[in-house]
């Protein structure tokens, strides 16, 4: 039985699908602070298999311990947490409490139950401002905001944990920019309020929920002047979790980038989205967003060699799948 924290969320619902499709048993723990249980109902109907769900907070060590003990959990994939960079500047202690203290409570519950296999959702944001590209796992770390620092501190904590007890099997996955949706269009990203991230905003402009995209800066040192990111299809990202779980048969601590190795600019994303949707995406050029870097993309070689995992889906497919989800669920899960 695999415990998936944050499994009702955007990435978690796709990881649930991947695990169920692979025949694994899954229990999701989520406090639903940024998600909707409908995602898991859809996952189950898509796979034709059921999973267990408990509405609980990862900071509740006793509740998590009981779940691990009573459900026979053998490994944990830990995605639960808060993830908005701007919000983390405004409420840093809430981020430390949920992400760092929450992970500490979870690890304590795992230790109590003698479960020592953990996959953790980290982020490319731990690298901060790139000093060289592509970003490999040896690149120095230097997150530039509280959210990124929570991921950094958790990574350090996990290294200390492994150093103290090398029976642990730990996979730290540094995601680049997850986008897209399951090809069915039934599960996808459902941001509360105005989206912060590029793809959800573009999709909402295309469907008419937002009037115009602001492109934050066209004076970067990039071919078209706009920022470049490594967008990765969420289904490819999800399959990486399965690969790492299969790899963690032996004790060890692995830190891996999950990205495609290819960067795309904001304008390239807009054009790809317009092409697949057949809808215009009006935009205007605005000032650079504070804290943004010009270019960020992964060297995914280590994940390829270690896990035999590779991303397969193109930017066009990411946009097409994101668009299908947006079209089928113009208001997300809440108001269908
Ligand atoms: P999400 O908000 O959709 O999913 C996170 C889930 O965690 C939500 O369902 C939320 O309700 C739940 N949650 C939050 N606090 C909780 C708590 N205290 N107890 C129990 N559940 C709680 O976000 P996502 O995009 O699916 O991200 C999943 C993980 O991946 C996060 O840890 C995030 O930091 C990391 N990550 C995301 C991205 C991205 O761009 N989406 C990139 C890199 C890393
Ligand atoms: C991508 C590009 C923007 C919105 C963030 C987090 C990171 C990780 C992934 C969790 C940039 C531009 C965006 C808009 C725009 N999350 N943009 N107009 O900033 O690379 O990464 O999400 O770990 O930690 O920082 O992603 O999608 O916000 O931006 O021009 O309305 O799109 O300037 O160049 P980012 P993003």
């Amino acid at each position: 039985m695999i415990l998936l924290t944050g499994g009702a969320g955007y990435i978690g619902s796709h990881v649930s699908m991947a695990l169920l499709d692979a025949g694994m048993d899954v229990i999701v723990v989520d406090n639903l602070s940024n998600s909707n249980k409908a995602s898991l109902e859809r996952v189950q109907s898509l796979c034709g298999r059921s999973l267990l769900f408990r509405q609980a907070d990862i900071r509740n060590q006793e509740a998590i311990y009981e779940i691990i003990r009573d459900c026979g959990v053998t490994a944990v994939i830990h995605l639960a947490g808060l993830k908005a960079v701007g919000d983390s500047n405004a409420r840093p202690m809430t981020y430390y409490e949920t992400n760092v203290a929450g992970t500490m409570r979870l690890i304590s519950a795992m230790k109590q139950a003698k479960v020592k296999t953990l996959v953790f959702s980290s982020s490319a944001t731990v690298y901060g401002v790139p000093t060289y590209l592509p970003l490999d796992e040896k690149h120095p770390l230097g997150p530039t905001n509280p959210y990124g620092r929570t991921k950094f501190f958790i990574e350090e904590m996990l290294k200390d944990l492994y150093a103290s007890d090398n029976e642990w099997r730990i996979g730290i996955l540094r995601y680049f920019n997850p986008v897209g949706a399951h090809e069915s269009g039934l599960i996808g990203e459902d941001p509360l309020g105005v989206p912060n991230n590029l793809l959800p905003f573009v999709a909402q402009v295309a469907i008419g929920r937002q009037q115009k995209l602001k492109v934050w800066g066209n004076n970067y040192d990039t071919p078209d002047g706009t920022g470049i990111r490594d967008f990765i299809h969420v289904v490819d990202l999800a399959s990486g979790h399965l690969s790492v779980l299969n790899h963690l048969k032996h004790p060890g601590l692995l830190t891996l980038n999950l990205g495609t190795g290819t960067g795309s600019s904001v304008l390239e994303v807009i054009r790809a989205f317009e092409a697949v949707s057949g809808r215009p995406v009006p935009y205007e050029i605005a000032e650079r967003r504070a804290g943004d870097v010009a270019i960020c993309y992964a060297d995914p070689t280590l994940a390829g060699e270690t896990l035999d995992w590779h991303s397969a889906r193109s930017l066009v497919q990411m946009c097409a799948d994101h668009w299908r989800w947006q079209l089928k669920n113009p208001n997300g899960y809440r108001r269908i």
Side-chain angles (χ1 to χ4, degrees):
M1 177 72 73
I2 310 296
L3 167 59
L4 207 55
T5 74
Y10 171 44
I11 298 170
S13 51
H14 292 84
V15 175
S16 306
M17 279 279 304
L19 298 180
L20 288 178
D21 276 345
M24 295 183 178
D25 295 322
V26 176
I27 177 160
V28 167
V29 166
D30 199 302
N31 68 358
L32 302 180
S33 59
N34 195 38
S35 52
N36 191 308
K37 234 176 84 180
S39 64
L40 295 176
E41 281 150 21
R42 293 186 185 189
V43 163
Q44 294 174 89
S45 70
L46 275 168
C47 312
R49 293 193 58 217
S50 47
L51 50 68
L52 300 174
F53 172 71
R54 300 280 186 278
Q55 185 167 353
D57 196 295
I58 51 162
R59 290 167 292 180
N60 186 344
Q61 185 180 324
E62 202 46 37
I64 304 297
Y65 165 65
E66 284 168 14
I67 289 167
I68 295 176
R69 185 197 60 198
D70 296 347
C71 299
V73 168
T74 52
V76 177
I77 301 181
H78 175 35
L79 299 108
L82 302 177
K83 63 164 183 176
V85 171
D87 188 33
S88 80
N89 285 314
R91 303 189 297 151
M93 298 324 291
T94 306
Y95 275 66
Y96 286 113
E97 169 64 21
T98 301
N99 294 2
V100 179
T103 303
M104 290 168 69
R105 298 286 99 74
L106 173 70
I107 289 168
S108 299
M110 291 175 70
K111 284 177 76 167
Q112 214 179 334
K114 299 190 172 48
V115 171
K116 294 188 178 179
T117 303
L118 174 66
V119 178
F120 171 63
S121 300
S122 189
S123 166
T125 199
V126 296
Y127 293 117
V129 182
T131 56
Y132 62 83
L133 288 162
L135 288 159
D136 60 26
E137 290 82 354
K138 294 196 183 86
H139 187 285
L141 305 184
T144 56
N145 56 69
Y147 164 69
R149 280 188 280 276
T150 66
K151 295 294 183 187
F152 170 77
F153 290 136
I154 295 166
E155 287 199 8
E156 295 298 300
M157 210 162 74
L158 293 177
K159 287 176 202 160
D160 288 336
L161 175 67
Y162 178 69
S164 73
D165 175 359
N166 55 24
E167 283 181 6
W168 278 81
R169 300 146 195 238
I170 298 174
I172 295 174
L173 302 180
R174 294 180 179 153
Y175 310 156
F176 279 66
N177 289 59
V179 296
H182 187 262
E183 60 179 5
S184 63
L186 292 178
I187 55 171
E189 184 166 14
D190 181 17
L192 280 172
V194 179
N196 298 308
N197 296 115
L198 181 63
L199 252 290
F201 202 103
V202 165
Q204 289 197 7
V205 172
I207 201 109
R209 260 174 84 176
Q210 307 288 342
Q211 274 196 327
K212 204 185 256 189
L213 173 76
K214 284 194 164 102
V215 172
W216 285 318
N218 69 346
N219 55 359
Y220 284 107
D221 188 12
T222 61
D224 66 22
T226 64
I228 290 180
R229 294 293 181 274
D230 188 338
F231 299 98
I232 175 166
H233 198 296
V234 66
V235 173
D236 286 336
L237 189 82
S239 81
H241 293 71
L242 198 60
S243 305
V244 79
L245 258 193
N246 289 331
H247 187 82
L248 291 175
K249 298 270 181 274
H250 305 289
L253 182 142
L254 269 173
T255 303
L256 298 172
N257 285 339
L258 292 187
T260 66
T262 302
S264 305
S265 75
V266 175
L267 292 183
E268 284 171 337
V269 169
I270 295 172
R271 281 189 213 105
F273 209 93
E274 288 183 327
V276 301
S277 66
R279 304 268 182 105
V281 177
Y283 66 86
E284 65 189 19
I285 305 298
E287 289 294 304
R288 290 180 180 192
R289 182 171 63 174
D292 271 356
V293 299
I295 311 180
C296 173
Y297 61 97
D299 179 346
T301 308
L302 191 59
E305 287 174 358
T306 314
L307 307 178
D308 196 23
W309 167 89
H310 303 275
S311 65
R313 292 164 178 81
S314 66
L315 179 66
V316 166
Q317 198 165 349
M318 298 177 210
C319 293
D321 290 340
H322 208 114
W323 178 236
R324 192 175 305 107
W325 153 255
Q326 182 71 70
L327 261 186
K328 285 193 172 181
N329 309 270
N331 297 306
Y333 290 115
R334 286 173 291 278
R335 297 163 298 272
I336 301 158

